[in-house]
Amino acid sequence: MNSKVSIIILNWNGWKDTIECLESLYQITYPNYDVIVVDNGSEDDSVEKMKEYAEGKIRVESKFFEYVPSNKPIKCIEYTREEAEAGGGKEDEIVDLASNRKMILIKNEKNYGFAEGANIGMRYALNVLNPDYILFLNNDTVVDRGFLDELVSVGETNTEIGIVGPKIYLYDMPEKVQSAGVMMNYWIVEVPSVFPTRKPREQEIRKVDYVSGCCMLIKSEVIEKIGILDPDYFCYYEETDFCVRAKKAGYQVVSTINAKIWHKLAVSSSKIPGFYMYYANRNTFRFAFKNLKTAQIITFLLWYSIVLFPITIASCLLKHRSACILKAYLRALKDVIVGRWGYVEV
């Protein structure tokens, strides 16, 4: 029997991207999965639009697939965050349905960020659905029909493998690779791609330091051993931190080029000027302080102050809306000094 996978998708004011992601997901060949959509306090009509999609009232257009009406309507059970955290209770309504005929919708009362939003979905899945794997999948992605077969197959080749990631292509340039797993220079917290220039061979599986959180398959036993995502990141670097923790616990993190997805870049972060600048820079320091050795932290701080700081200041001044971007950057550094983590309104 195929291992059971709980797929967690976060939505925040992005229902158009989410239903394209869902439609691609409901066409995959893997037979044993549950889709959990966590709406992170959307202020648009995301919840209603996603339900309308499930009812078959919205036809999804995409350059990656043809819309399939035959699995509609998709049965949707809904929970508030409190109901989901308390253990759900409506699962009997969908237990006998095929994977592509059901959806679980958790409605958060506010935006908890990627880390805690994913944790809410993950806690529900582990407590109620008892999956063998958890899959984090960004709502701004489109998946290949066989991607989950490949990810699970790789995960089951070796008991030491704890996390598996796919080869990620750019949505707007479908042949261009965004990421295929990352090896990190821990001395300066630099993250060049595993495959920066060369075309990878067929059937290639690589051990890496971390895989992108936009698509990350995790064995449930890993979460039971090392815990959930660190909510103090809010967003950015939480998946890096999680993968490093998994490796420290003795698990392998691997990437396979035979599982493919396509990713739209910075869809959520681009909605708020300075959002990426603030969280990416602040959380670089949180990751360093949590995971690096003392000598590595010293080297990182020297590298950051001598090289990255002046480069980033210059880059901020050259960007559109430079005052806003620079303010977000300086605020990130200030919050690092005072130790302010978690959500900050940018």
Side-chain angles (χ1 to χ4, degrees), residues 21-163:
C21 175
L22 287 170
E23 181 63 20
S24 73
L25 195 56
Y26 283 126
Q27 295 186 25
I28 64 174
T29 55
Y30 194 81
N32 192 14
Y33 62 91
D34 291 295
V35 175
I36 304 166
V37 179
V38 180
D39 184 75
N40 237 348
S42 291
E43 297 171 345
D44 61 1
D45 52 357
S46 279
V47 169
E48 289 307 313
K49 290 296 186 182
M50 290 187 292
K51 288 163 62 176
E52 287 178 19
Y53 157 75
E55 292 166 4
K57 295 179 180 179
I58 300 178
R59 185 182 182 92
V60 180
E61 301 293 335
S62 177
K63 61 185 177 182
F64 291 94
F65 55 78
E66 295 292 330
Y67 176 74
V68 175
S70 58
N71 70 319
K72 315 298 186 302
I74 295 166
K75 176 66 176 179
C76 178
I77 59 174
E78 301 177 52
Y79 295 117
T80 64
R81 179 187 60 81
E82 292 87 351
E83 289 170 339
E85 297 274 27
K90 303 175 184 177
E91 288 69 31
D92 285 347
E93 298 177 25
I94 60 173
V95 67
D96 294 326
L97 295 175
S99 293
N100 68 344
R101 299 298 301 269
K102 56 186 176 180
M103 180 171 75
I104 300 161
L105 177 61
I106 299 174
K107 299 172 290 187
N108 291 342
E109 73 279 10
K110 66 178 184 179
N111 184 1
Y112 284 91
F114 179 85
E116 185 59 14
N119 285 340
I120 290 166
M122 181 162 51
R123 285 193 292 265
Y124 165 80
L126 293 174
N127 291 336
V128 178
L129 303 178
N130 194 31
D132 301 293
Y133 293 88
I134 295 285
L135 177 75
F136 293 141
L137 184 66
N138 270 25
N139 74 315
D140 57 355
T141 60
V142 172
V143 302
D144 178 73
R145 294 184 75 242
F147 93 111
L148 192 52
D149 298 87
E150 177 65 20
L151 290 177
V152 173
S153 176
V154 170
E156 296 185 347
T157 58
N158 187 336
T159 57
E160 294 182 357
I161 293 176
I163 300 173

Side-chain angles (χ1 to χ4, degrees), residues 278 326-335 340 344-346:
Y278 175 83
L326 180 59
K327 181 180 178 181
Y329 178 60
L330 295 177
R331 185 176 182 182
L333 298 183
K334 176 184 176 182
D335 285 351
R340 185 181 185 189
V344 172
E345 185 174 353
V346 179

Side-chain angles (χ1 to χ4, degrees), residues 135 209 230:
L135 177 75
D209 287 330
D230 180 351

Side-chain angles (χ1 to χ4, degrees), residues 315-338:
S315 175
C316 286
L317 295 175
L318 293 173
K319 289 181 180 292
H320 176 61
R321 302 188 69 173
S322 59
C324 176
I325 302 298
L326 180 59
K327 181 180 178 181
Y329 178 60
L330 295 177
R331 185 176 182 182
L333 298 183
K334 176 184 176 182
D335 285 351
V336 169
I337 293 171
V338 301

Side-chain angles (χ1 to χ4, degrees), residues 155-185:
E156 296 185 347
T157 58
N158 187 336
T159 57
E160 294 182 357
I161 293 176
I163 300 173
V164 188
K167 189 176 183 182
I168 304 170
Y169 295 85
L170 296 178
Y171 181 93
D172 292 326
M173 293 180 283
E175 300 300 319
K176 185 175 177 62
V177 178
Q178 176 194 347
S179 177
V182 175
M183 297 299 292
M184 176 175 287
N185 182 339

